[in-house]
Amino acid sequence: MFSTADTIVAIATPPGRGGIGVVRLSGVEACAIAERLTDRRKPLEPRHATLTTVLGEGAHDAAVDQVVVTYFPGPASYTGDDVVEISAHGSPVILQAIVSAAIGAGARLAEPGEFTLRAFVNGRLDLMQAEAVADLIESVTPLQARTAFDQLNGTLTREIAEIDAALFDLIARLEASVDFPDEGYHFIEPASVATAVDGILARTQALLASARRGRIVREGFHVAIVGEPNVGKSSLFNALVGSARAIVTDIPGTTRDLVTETVDLEGLRVTLIDTAGARQTEDVIEVEGVARSKQAAGAADLVLLVADQSTEWSDPGHIFGHPNIDRVVLVASKADLPAAWHRDEAISIAAPLGLGMERLRTAILSALDVDLLADRPGITNVRHITLVQRAHDRLLSARCAASARGPASSEEFVLADLGEARSALEEVTGARATDALLEHIFSRFCIGK
């Protein structure tokens, strides 16, 4: 794991040029290092934006940039340690010069996610909130951002804490009864144990009930655009994306590999997949492209099956490589040309002209059953869902043991299952987390966060 004793530095804003770029320092020497980097002779004032000049490494009379420095003393800072943020002009050259100067003054370059790791270690965030930081940064739709912000604000933390508190109370009373069997004390009546477990089960079940919505919010939908060559799949793809992302020509077989793009469709994250046209061919590359098209259709949440309305109808159903695809929207392309066929279920479009696109978007949203997202889910992360499911399963086992008669109803059996359920919940919050797990989670963060 990363050391939390030294002072770290990194650029906290995205790569590239901008009006402002931020370099962040965190650690016991953060303020001292920042003061050594500037021409300021007075100590930095806590929570006060200070206009000053930052000096280059090894050349204290060479100004790098005019900056605004803000000092946040710990523990009331993002990481819980002393933090200094240097706001400079957003040139990568300037920002890197400031980082180099800070390293020369005693700081260490931060590892990915190390600032948020320190916030977790110092108790500023629990593990769920720390993961929500990454989700918030990576969100591409307003719904994703709102859900991640809810979790960062502790909505899931509070729900898990309430479940854990109920578990802790039940375990404590059962353990007390086990510890004093001869005294005749019953801190909880045996008949009440099953009822108490039922109450906790209802809470975990409510969380798991929102898991599907959570997966959709976090990962979004996958929509595959399939059909025969030259029916307008790439034109439709570009129209939905809003740019000429895929090559469009009159030559059959132009698209030979999967082309993907993530879009915001009425607040939903949708990954569109443009596929190779399905046909018999001897071209090795095109054969592989058709195979990938079938795989994409089989894995997609929704298939847009495109057929050319201006040519004779031929059943395009042979392109499916998965028999369980039941979510299909038939799209009749090239509606600006005379129609050679008509089907009531087909949505007619002329993608380059925008004809029928609003109706198609409505059909996509309807087929994806977006009413599932009327309520924001409480749980979205696969790791959290897996652990809550494990806790739920152990609670079911405890419920069976508490309802059994004879040796199987021993309080020790119930306690064992309840203890395992509580351990799973502690893994969710990070109260019980290995170094390997923490490194895996935080290594996926960007440097500077």
Side-chain angles (χ1 to χ4, degrees), residues 318-379:
H318 67 278
I319 67 172
F320 290 113
H322 195 291
N324 295 326
I325 286 292
D326 57 357
R327 288 189 171 183
V328 178
V329 173
L330 179 60
V331 180
S333 64
K334 306 184 183 180
D336 54 323
L337 301 176
W341 54 269
H342 174 78
R343 288 177 172 264
D344 291 338
E345 71 272 23
I347 297 178
S348 296
I349 67 164
L353 303 177
L355 298 178
M357 293 303 298
E358 281 304 314
R359 185 183 170 207
L360 177 58
R361 289 187 180 92
T362 300
I364 291 172
L365 293 171
S366 176
L368 290 175
D369 194 16
V370 295
D371 289 342
L372 280 170
L373 303 180
D375 297 321
R376 267 180 262 172
I379 186 167

Side-chain angles (χ1 to χ4, degrees), residues 31-355:
C31 188
I33 290 173
E35 289 174 349
R36 288 199 289 271
L37 297 183
T38 70
D39 62 357
R40 182 177 172 79
R41 296 293 174 259
K42 296 180 180 179
L44 292 171
E45 298 179 39
R47 306 185 187 286
H48 182 82
T50 301
L51 180 66
T52 183
T53 300
V54 74
L55 305 173
E57 179 187 8
H60 295 292
D61 57 347
V64 172
D65 192 20
Q66 191 174 57
V67 300
V68 174
V69 180
T70 311
Y71 168 42
F72 302 93
S77 69
Y78 177 72
T79 66
D81 298 327
D82 287 354
V83 170
V84 174
E85 292 186 351
I86 302 173
S87 299
H89 292 94
S91 162
V93 174
I94 292 173
L95 298 176
Q96 191 55 56
I98 296 172
V99 170
S100 297
I103 292 173
R108 169 176 64 79
L109 185 64
E111 298 289 339
E114 194 169 358
F115 289 99
T116 304
L117 172 65
R118 290 193 176 194
F120 167 71
V121 171
N122 291 329
R124 297 289 292 170
L125 304 170
D126 63 27
L127 195 53
M128 292 179 291
Q129 291 173 304
E131 290 171 289
V133 170
D135 290 342
L136 189 57
I137 293 171
E138 294 173 3
S139 60
V140 296
T141 70
L143 180 58
Q144 283 183 317
R146 288 195 300 271
T147 302
F149 186 70
D150 283 348
Q151 294 184 1
L152 180 58
N153 268 349
T155 53
L156 183 56
T157 294
R158 288 188 287 273
E159 289 187 54
I160 295 292
E162 290 173 1
I163 296 171
D164 184 66
L167 257 177
F168 178 79
D169 178 69
L170 180 57
I171 289 172
R173 286 188 286 164
L174 278 172
E175 285 181 341
S177 298
V178 170
D179 288 342
F180 302 100
D182 298 330
E183 285 79 355
Y185 294 122
H186 286 289
F187 294 87
I188 183 169
E189 293 297 326
S192 301
V193 174
T195 301
V197 174
D198 281 339
I200 302 172
L201 274 169
R203 290 174 175 268
T204 55
Q205 183 57 49
L207 276 179
L208 293 172
S210 72
R212 186 189 171 201
R213 298 199 311 276
R215 184 195 69 81
I216 291 171
V217 169
R218 186 184 177 86
E219 301 174 12
F221 293 102
H222 287 72
V223 176
I225 303 174
V226 300
E228 296 177 336
N230 249 24
V231 295
K233 299 185 301 299
S234 295
S235 295
L236 172 56
F237 178 85
N238 288 341
L240 289 171
V241 170
S243 65
R245 177 70 174 78
I247 297 174
V248 178
T249 73
D250 293 331
I251 303 171
T254 300
T255 302
R256 296 189 170 198
D257 201 354
L258 303 182
V259 181
T260 64
E261 192 68 54
T262 300
V263 299
D264 178 348
L265 189 62
E266 299 297 328
L268 292 175
R269 178 187 176 121
V270 175
T271 299
L272 296 171
I273 309 167
D274 185 21
T275 67
R279 66 171 177 172
Q280 296 296 324
T281 177
E282 299 299 324
D283 187 306
V284 175
I285 298 176
E286 197 172 349
V287 167
E288 177 61 24
V290 172
R292 294 187 182 188
S293 298
K294 294 179 179 180
Q295 292 173 358
D301 298 292
L302 180 67
V303 170
L304 301 184
L305 181 56
V306 184
D308 186 348
Q309 194 175 14
S310 68
T311 62
E312 185 179 351
W313 168 262
S314 64
D315 185 4
H318 67 278
I319 67 172
F320 290 113
H322 195 291
N324 295 326
I325 286 292
D326 57 357
R327 288 189 171 183
V328 178
V329 173
L330 179 60
V331 180
S333 64
K334 306 184 183 180
D336 54 323
L337 301 176
W341 54 269
H342 174 78
R343 288 177 172 264
D344 291 338
E345 71 272 23
I347 297 178
S348 296
I349 67 164
L353 303 177
L355 298 178

